[in-house]
Amino acid sequence: MAERDDLPVLTAETVESWPEVRVFKDDRRSRVSLVEGPDGRGWVLKLFKRPALRQRVARWVGQHPAQRELKANRRLAEAGVPVVPIVASWVDREGRSWLVTPRVGDSVYHWLMGCELADGGTQRRALTRRLGALTGRLLAMKAEHGDYKSSNILVDDGGELHLIDVGAVTSSKGRPLFAAALPMLKTLHENLEDAATYHADPQAVAVTRTDRLRFFRAMQGAWDTAPDGLQHLPRSEEFGR
């Protein structure tokens, strides 16, 4: 993972007393929450909630989700893919794994839910192109994200995108391009469509054919040469409207 001089070294003792501001997710597998440091900076804590014995065994064989996420995070960062860096990890007294990342911004999912399009769509066009470019970069390095959805892509204050929850990223080497790309494209498209339904005017932010064409052009623009299997990728109109 590329080093970041502005990111402090955090430990369990450092963050355990910081107040919790928000819970992003809390289910059987994990709890993801936002805490605030004494300087007002936000940090995201991810606690893996599977039974402690199961987590110990998974760590022992090197297959714990936290281990996979750390490995994928480093590999993507080294390849120049924008990921939110994992700045700390530890195992608590109960045997559960924790990960800590800096607070970057809202997810694309939540951005779309509250998008006002006050700038005539400039932000939306930029975001669509960046999503396409990010997807193209992943596919170009033969990486397949098994949970590629807008809630796992964050937007920072400058509009740049950053991946999170990358434990589901695996190598697609040896597989045709369309076999790796199609599940990612379908999941992302359906997730964006779902986010639009929560907007005050769903039709105003629903994914359009123009959005899809812009996305595909940006995705292909991320490739130096057209990968084998490009001709089998779905055309824009095959996703619906």
Side-chain angles (χ1 to χ4, degrees):
M1 189 189 312
E3 295 296 327
R4 288 272 305 275
D5 294 336
D6 61 325
L7 296 178
V9 176
L10 303 180
T11 65
E13 292 73 23
T14 305
V15 303
E16 65 181 2
S17 62
W18 290 352
E20 185 174 87
V21 177
R22 179 180 175 187
V23 176
F24 296 110
K25 172 186 173 184
D26 193 0
D27 58 26
R28 291 188 308 163
R29 294 183 299 176
S30 62
R31 176 183 171 86
V32 182
S33 59
L34 174 67
V35 299
E36 186 176 284
D39 59 355
R41 190 169 186 176
W43 302 92
V44 178
L45 275 59
K46 184 173 185 178
L47 164 65
F48 293 86
K49 292 172 60 178
R50 295 293 192 185
L53 178 59
R54 182 173 174 179
Q55 293 198 45
R56 290 191 182 96
V57 172
R59 281 193 298 270
W60 183 69
V61 298
Q63 291 300 315
H64 193 285
Q67 293 172 313
R68 293 199 299 268
E69 191 162 338
L70 280 163
K71 182 178 179 180
N73 190 286
R74 292 191 182 100
R75 183 165 66 94
L76 291 169
E78 289 167 357
V81 176
V83 290
V84 178
I86 297 172
V87 297
S89 64
W90 63 79
V91 178
D92 64 20
R93 297 184 185 89
E94 297 180 36
R96 305 172 302 179
S97 287
W98 291 76
L99 298 176
V100 182
T101 58
R103 170 72 163 139
V104 169
D106 288 331
S107 68
V108 172
Y109 188 91
H110 288 95
W111 181 90
L112 189 60
M113 287 170 58
C115 177
E116 297 182 2
L117 301 180
D119 60 352
T122 300
Q123 280 186 306
R124 176 175 177 160
R125 289 190 292 272
L127 185 65
T128 304
R129 292 191 184 97
R130 285 166 176 161
L131 279 172
L134 176 60
T135 306
R137 290 178 72 179
L138 285 171
L139 294 172
M141 64 177 291
K142 302 293 185 183
E144 181 177 356
H145 197 317
D147 198 18
Y148 195 59
K149 55 189 181 182
S150 59
S151 51
N152 284 336
I153 305 171
L154 305 185
V155 187
D156 67 19
D157 292 339
E160 299 297 328
L161 304 183
H162 307 262
L163 277 174
I164 59 170
D165 203 11
V166 295
V169 173
T170 57
S171 173
S172 65
K173 289 181 179 179
R175 299 185 65 204
L177 173 68
F178 75 90
L182 190 56
M184 291 173 56
L185 295 175
K186 284 190 65 178
T187 300
L188 179 62
H189 179 264
E190 291 169 358
N191 190 244
L192 290 169
E193 289 275 80
D194 181 66
T197 64
Y198 292 95
H199 192 273
D201 183 4
Q203 289 302 314
V205 295
V207 180
T208 65
R209 183 174 184 272
T210 301
D211 290 327
R212 291 192 293 273
L213 288 170
R214 188 178 294 120
F215 174 94
F216 275 91
R217 282 197 296 266
M219 182 177 71
Q220 294 173 24
W223 300 326
D224 295 331
T225 58
D228 291 338
L230 177 63
Q231 67 274 17
H232 298 299
L233 287 179
R235 292 180 293 276
S236 173
E237 57 269 21
E238 294 180 43
F239 278 100
R241 288 190 303 276

